[in-house]
Amino acid sequence: MTLEEAIAEISGRVITACPDAVLRIVHASDEEASIRAYAHVGAEAAIKAATNDYTIELLTGEGLDVQVLVYDIATSLPPEG
């Protein structure tokens, strides 16, 4: 699996858990990225439940480190992009 495929899969899981989330992707290397999800505070648990096991699977099975960071959109506005 490529990093882009992993990002697409995780992004889909985030949007399924919280359809109004705003996502920003930051690439750190060919094997590392972070997905910053800006969503209402009540969505954090659902987003983490939808992504935590899969991100661990990617790290241990594929060597891909994709972190999902959840921010309260009411207090942390997403950067333009």
Side-chain angles (χ1 to χ4, degrees):
M1 172 176 290
T2 68
L3 182 61
E4 292 306 318
E5 290 170 333
I7 290 170
E9 174 64 27
I10 295 169
S11 295
R13 290 172 183 238
V14 171
I15 294 301
T16 298
C18 180
D20 60 343
V22 176
L23 304 181
R24 297 293 183 257
I25 312 301
V26 177
H27 290 80
S29 71
D30 290 342
E31 295 87 24
E32 298 176 66
S34 64
I35 299 174
R36 294 184 169 121
Y38 297 84
H40 58 86
V41 73
E44 182 175 4
I47 291 170
K48 286 184 176 184
T51 60
N52 275 354
D53 288 344
Y54 187 67
T55 58
I56 292 169
E57 216 175 277
L58 285 172
L59 184 59
T60 59
E62 301 283 337
L64 298 174
D65 185 7
V66 183
Q67 298 178 10
V68 179
L69 308 168
V70 183
Y71 296 91
D72 179 3
I73 198 164
T75 60
S76 299
L77 295 177
E80 294 297 318

